[in-house]
Amino acid sequence: MNWRWVSLAAALAAIVIGYGAFVDNDDVPTANHEMPEQPGYYLKDAVILRTREDGSPGIELIARRIDQRLSRAPARGEAITMESVRVNYFGKEDWQWALTANSGLVPPNSRVVQLEGDVELRSLEGNANAYLRTNELAIDTEKNIAYSTRSPVKVRFGQHAMTVKSLRADLTSEKLRLETVNGRFDPQPQR
Protein backbone atom coordinates (compact mmCIF):
# COMPACT_ATOMS: atom_id res chain seq x y z
CA MET A 1 0.00 0.00 0.00
CA ASN A 2 2.93 2.25 0.46
CA TRP A 3 3.77 2.14 -3.23
CA ARG A 4 0.27 3.25 -4.13
CA TRP A 5 0.55 6.35 -1.95
CA VAL A 6 3.98 7.16 -3.36
CA SER A 7 2.69 6.74 -6.95
CA LEU A 8 -0.38 8.86 -6.22
CA ALA A 9 1.73 11.58 -4.53
CA ALA A 10 4.17 11.60 -7.48
CA ALA A 11 1.30 11.90 -9.97
CA LEU A 12 -0.27 14.76 -7.99
CA ALA A 13 3.13 16.52 -7.72
CA ALA A 14 3.63 16.21 -11.50
CA ILE A 15 0.17 17.71 -12.10
CA VAL A 16 0.82 20.61 -9.67
CA ILE A 17 4.27 21.33 -11.17
CA GLY A 18 2.89 21.18 -14.71
CA TYR A 19 0.01 23.47 -13.81
CA GLY A 20 2.39 25.90 -12.06
CA ALA A 21 4.68 25.99 -15.08
CA PHE A 22 1.72 26.62 -17.36
CA VAL A 23 0.30 29.46 -15.21
CA ASP A 24 3.61 31.20 -14.36
CA ASN A 25 4.86 31.24 -17.95
CA ASP A 26 5.25 35.06 -17.86
CA ASP A 27 8.02 34.88 -15.27
CA VAL A 28 10.15 32.54 -17.36
CA PRO A 29 12.92 34.45 -19.14
CA THR A 30 12.78 34.13 -22.90
CA ALA A 31 15.75 34.14 -25.22
CA ASN A 32 16.08 37.16 -27.50
CA HIS A 33 17.16 36.01 -30.93
CA GLU A 34 17.25 39.53 -32.44
CA MET A 35 20.59 40.95 -33.42
CA PRO A 36 21.58 44.25 -31.81
CA GLU A 37 21.25 47.27 -34.08
CA GLN A 38 24.19 47.31 -36.47
CA PRO A 39 25.38 50.07 -38.78
CA GLY A 40 24.49 49.61 -42.43
CA TYR A 41 27.94 51.02 -43.04
CA TYR A 42 30.38 53.37 -41.41
CA LEU A 43 33.27 55.34 -42.84
CA LYS A 44 36.21 56.90 -40.97
CA ASP A 45 38.06 59.92 -42.37
CA ALA A 46 35.70 59.85 -45.34
CA VAL A 47 35.94 61.96 -48.48
CA ILE A 48 32.95 61.67 -50.83
CA LEU A 49 32.93 63.57 -54.13
CA ARG A 50 29.79 64.09 -56.22
CA THR A 51 30.61 65.13 -59.76
CA ARG A 52 28.53 66.93 -62.34
CA GLU A 53 27.43 65.36 -65.59
CA ASP A 54 30.61 66.62 -67.32
CA GLY A 55 32.80 64.95 -64.64
CA SER A 56 33.89 68.16 -62.92
CA PRO A 57 33.68 68.30 -59.10
CA GLY A 58 30.35 69.50 -57.71
CA ILE A 59 30.18 68.73 -53.98
CA GLU A 60 32.87 67.26 -51.76
CA LEU A 61 31.87 65.90 -48.32
CA ILE A 62 34.61 65.32 -45.75
CA ALA A 63 33.82 63.84 -42.32
CA ARG A 64 35.71 62.20 -39.49
CA ARG A 65 33.00 59.52 -39.29
CA ILE A 66 29.84 58.70 -41.25
CA ASP A 67 27.32 56.12 -39.99
CA GLN A 68 24.20 54.71 -41.57
CA ARG A 69 21.91 52.70 -39.31
CA LEU A 70 19.83 49.90 -40.76
CA SER A 71 16.11 50.30 -40.23
CA ARG A 72 13.87 47.40 -39.30
CA ALA A 73 11.03 49.06 -41.25
CA PRO A 74 12.01 49.07 -44.94
CA ALA A 75 9.67 51.93 -45.89
CA ARG A 76 11.32 54.23 -43.34
CA GLY A 77 14.78 54.20 -44.92
CA GLU A 78 18.09 54.79 -43.19
CA ALA A 79 19.34 57.99 -41.52
CA ILE A 80 22.97 58.99 -42.01
CA THR A 81 24.90 60.72 -39.20
CA MET A 82 28.24 62.51 -39.55
CA GLU A 83 30.93 63.87 -37.19
CA SER A 84 33.29 66.82 -37.89
CA VAL A 85 31.76 67.71 -41.24
CA ARG A 86 33.11 69.87 -44.05
CA VAL A 87 31.24 70.38 -47.31
CA ASN A 88 32.94 72.06 -50.29
CA TYR A 89 30.76 73.40 -53.13
CA PHE A 90 32.67 73.93 -56.36
CA GLY A 91 31.37 76.55 -58.76
CA LYS A 92 31.43 76.41 -62.52
CA GLU A 93 34.16 79.08 -62.64
CA ASP A 94 36.46 77.78 -59.85
CA TRP A 95 34.71 79.59 -56.98
CA GLN A 96 34.07 77.52 -53.91
CA TRP A 97 31.96 77.59 -50.75
CA ALA A 98 33.13 75.80 -47.62
CA LEU A 99 30.67 74.73 -44.95
CA THR A 100 31.88 73.27 -41.63
CA ALA A 101 30.00 71.85 -38.62
CA ASN A 102 30.49 69.64 -35.59
CA SER A 103 27.87 67.13 -36.74
CA GLY A 104 25.41 66.41 -39.53
CA LEU A 105 22.32 64.35 -40.22
CA VAL A 106 20.66 63.22 -43.44
CA PRO A 107 17.12 62.03 -42.62
CA PRO A 108 15.85 58.87 -44.34
CA ASN A 109 15.13 59.31 -48.05
CA SER A 110 16.06 63.02 -47.94
CA ARG A 111 18.20 65.31 -50.05
CA VAL A 112 18.60 67.78 -47.17
CA VAL A 113 21.69 67.71 -44.94
CA GLN A 114 21.08 69.14 -41.45
CA LEU A 115 24.23 70.57 -39.85
CA GLU A 116 24.60 71.42 -36.17
CA GLY A 117 27.20 72.89 -33.83
CA ASP A 118 29.47 75.81 -34.81
CA VAL A 119 28.18 75.82 -38.39
CA GLU A 120 30.17 78.17 -40.58
CA LEU A 121 29.62 79.04 -44.25
CA ARG A 122 32.27 81.01 -46.11
CA SER A 123 33.20 81.72 -49.67
CA LEU A 124 36.78 80.79 -50.48
CA GLU A 125 36.84 83.38 -53.26
CA GLY A 126 36.99 87.06 -52.41
CA ASN A 127 36.99 88.48 -48.89
CA ALA A 128 38.23 85.90 -46.35
CA ASN A 129 36.67 87.90 -43.49
CA ALA A 130 33.12 87.50 -44.86
CA TYR A 131 31.36 84.45 -43.45
CA LEU A 132 28.14 83.25 -41.83
CA ARG A 133 28.05 81.53 -38.46
CA THR A 134 25.14 79.85 -36.70
CA ASN A 135 24.35 76.83 -34.52
CA GLU A 136 22.22 75.04 -37.13
CA LEU A 137 21.95 75.16 -40.90
CA ALA A 138 20.32 72.92 -43.53
CA ILE A 139 21.44 72.38 -47.11
CA ASP A 140 19.26 71.22 -49.99
CA THR A 141 21.90 69.35 -52.01
CA GLU A 142 19.77 69.20 -55.17
CA LYS A 143 19.00 72.93 -55.30
CA ASN A 144 22.35 74.02 -53.71
CA ILE A 145 20.57 76.19 -51.15
CA ALA A 146 21.66 76.62 -47.54
CA TYR A 147 19.15 78.00 -45.06
CA SER A 148 18.98 78.64 -41.33
CA THR A 149 16.81 76.40 -39.18
CA ARG A 150 17.20 78.31 -35.95
CA SER A 151 17.68 81.92 -34.93
CA PRO A 152 19.87 84.00 -34.49
CA VAL A 153 22.44 83.92 -37.27
CA LYS A 154 25.62 85.98 -37.00
CA VAL A 155 26.90 87.46 -40.26
CA ARG A 156 30.34 89.06 -40.64
CA PHE A 157 31.38 91.49 -43.35
CA GLY A 158 35.02 92.46 -42.98
CA GLN A 159 35.27 94.30 -39.67
CA HIS A 160 31.49 94.51 -39.17
CA ALA A 161 29.07 92.00 -37.64
CA MET A 162 25.29 91.72 -37.88
CA THR A 163 22.75 89.42 -36.24
CA VAL A 164 19.71 88.39 -38.30
CA LYS A 165 16.73 86.15 -37.66
CA SER A 166 17.06 83.88 -40.73
CA LEU A 167 18.99 83.46 -43.94
CA ARG A 168 18.89 81.68 -47.27
CA ALA A 169 22.02 81.35 -49.39
CA ASP A 170 21.86 80.25 -53.03
CA LEU A 171 25.27 78.66 -53.49
CA THR A 172 24.93 78.49 -57.28
CA SER A 173 24.09 82.15 -57.93
CA GLU A 174 26.11 83.35 -54.89
CA LYS A 175 23.13 85.32 -53.57
CA LEU A 176 22.26 85.72 -49.93
CA ARG A 177 18.77 86.61 -48.71
CA LEU A 178 18.36 87.76 -45.12
CA GLU A 179 14.86 87.73 -43.66
CA THR A 180 13.62 89.75 -40.72
CA VAL A 181 16.84 91.70 -40.34
CA ASN A 182 16.73 93.29 -36.92
CA GLY A 183 20.46 93.58 -36.58
CA ARG A 184 22.90 96.42 -36.85
CA PHE A 185 26.46 96.85 -37.93
CA ASP A 186 28.90 96.93 -35.03
CA PRO A 187 32.54 97.76 -35.72
CA GLN A 188 34.89 95.01 -34.60
CA PRO A 189 38.26 95.94 -33.08
CA GLN A 190 41.31 95.59 -35.35
CA ARG A 191 43.57 92.65 -34.59
Side-chain angles (χ1 to χ4, degrees):
M1 207 187 290
N2 243 349
W3 288 103
R4 282 187 186 165
W5 286 106
V6 171
S7 304
L8 184 59
L12 286 174
I15 292 172
V16 169
I17 290 171
Y19 178 74
F22 179 72
V23 171
D24 293 330
N25 196 18
D26 294 338
D27 295 339
V28 176
T30 58
N32 186 359
H33 297 289
E34 290 184 25
M35 294 289 294
E37 189 172 313
Q38 300 289 318
Y41 66 81
Y42 75 94
L43 305 170
K44 290 180 81 170
D45 299 322
V47 178
I48 300 171
L49 180 65
R50 185 173 89 183
T51 59
R52 294 188 187 93
E53 289 180 16
D54 65 359
S56 64
I59 299 172
E60 180 181 48
L61 172 71
I62 303 165
R64 183 182 327 136
R65 183 174 173 102
I66 300 175
D67 286 290
Q68 181 186 41
R69 297 281 176 206
L70 291 177
S71 171
R72 299 196 197 293
R76 215 180 95 209
E78 296 87 18
I80 299 170
T81 59
M82 300 171 279
E83 295 175 9
S84 296
V85 182
R86 178 182 172 111
V87 180
N88 295 322
Y89 280 88
F90 298 95
K92 300 193 189 272
E93 304 293 326
D94 294 337
W95 58 265
Q96 182 180 13
W97 288 90
L99 223 145
T100 58
N102 292 341
S103 63
L105 171 73
V106 180
N109 304 318
S110 178
R111 66 181 187 207
V112 175
V113 178
Q114 300 169 358
L115 299 170
E116 186 174 304
D118 294 328
V119 180
E120 189 173 284
L121 174 65
R122 67 173 63 234
S123 173
L124 298 181
E125 291 289 318
N127 187 351
N129 289 329
Y131 62 90
L132 304 171
R133 181 175 283 155
T134 185
N135 287 329
E136 293 181 11
L137 194 70
I139 307 165
D140 185 325
T141 58
E142 293 295 317
K143 296 179 181 176
N144 289 334
I145 294 182
Y147 54 94
S148 61
T149 57
R150 188 171 288 184
S151 194
V153 179
K154 296 182 189 292
V155 182
R156 288 190 48 87
F157 296 99
Q159 298 176 359
H160 305 284
M162 180 174 57
T163 302
V164 299
K165 187 171 182 180
S166 66
L167 72 91
R168 182 180 177 96
D170 186 332
L171 303 175
T172 304
S173 67
E174 298 184 68
K175 293 187 179 182
L176 176 66
R177 188 174 89 197
L178 304 173
E179 296 178 8
T180 316
V181 180
N182 292 325
R184 63 175 197 221
F185 285 99
D186 292 325
Q188 300 293 316
Q190 293 283 343
R191 293 183 191 192

